[in-house]
Amino acid sequence: MRVTPNTAEVLDAPPPHEVYANAPDLRREMHQVLALGAERDGRKVRTVPGPPVDATAAERAWLLRRAALMDRMALDDPGPGPVGAAARTAGQLVLYDRRHPGLVAGPHHPDAITLAPSRRSYVRQEYAAWTAAGRPGT
C-alpha cells in the first residue's frame, strides 16, 4: 500500500507480480499493443469479428495496455529510459481518465494520485480492475 502525498489516501494497488500474473508475455503483449495502435491510427483494419467497439473504450484499453506494458518493461529493466517511458505512458492514461471518468474501473480516481512520482500504481490498479472486468474495450 502507498499513501498519496496530496490526499493521504491509501492507493491499494496490488503488487506488480499479482497484477501481471496472467498478462501475456512481454513479446506477445508488445505485438498486440502495436497492432491496436495501428488499428487506432488507421494503418490497419480491425481484424476481430463482431460488433463495432466503442471508440472511447477502445482508446482507453489501448492506453491502459500500453502503460501496463511500459510498467512491466520498467520492472524488468529499471533504468532511466524504461522508467521514464512507464511514467509518460502512465501520465497519458491519467489524463485520458480525467477526461473520461466513467471509464475508471478501480477504486481510486486518477486525481487521487496527482502527486505520486510516476503514477504507475494507478496503472496497476486499473489493469487489475480491467482484467477482473473481462478486458472491456478490446
Side-chain angles (χ1 to χ4, degrees):
M1 285 200 222
R2 189 166 131 185
V3 177
T4 57
N6 58 326
T7 64
E9 182 176 2
V10 175
L11 186 59
D12 55 354
H17 70 276
E18 289 179 20
V19 172
Y20 302 128
N22 296 315
D25 68 72
L26 284 174
R27 179 173 285 178
R28 180 173 171 222
E29 183 66 356
M30 186 181 306
H31 176 73
Q32 290 176 352
V33 168
L34 289 171
L36 287 172
E39 288 175 12
R40 171 188 174 267
D41 298 342
R43 293 176 282 131
K44 179 180 173 188
V45 176
R46 185 169 183 253
T47 57
V48 178
V53 176
D54 174 81
T56 305
E59 176 77 5
R60 198 229 184 220
W62 175 75
L63 287 167
L64 174 61
R65 288 179 72 179
R66 191 174 66 136
L69 175 64
M70 294 297 123
D71 183 39
R72 292 172 61 200
M73 292 172 78
L75 290 167
D76 281 355
D77 178 6
V83 169
R88 280 188 302 281
T89 56
Q92 291 167 352
L93 177 65
V94 165
L95 291 174
Y96 194 81
D97 283 359
R98 284 182 183 152
R99 289 190 309 267
H100 305 281
L103 296 175
V104 174
H108 301 284
H109 190 273
D111 289 331
I113 50 85
T114 300
L115 298 179
S118 71
R119 299 177 174 125
R120 289 169 61 191
S121 294
Y122 179 74
V123 171
R124 294 172 192 155
Q125 167 196 275
E126 290 302 300
Y127 191 86
W130 178 72
T131 55
R135 300 169 51 109
T138 56

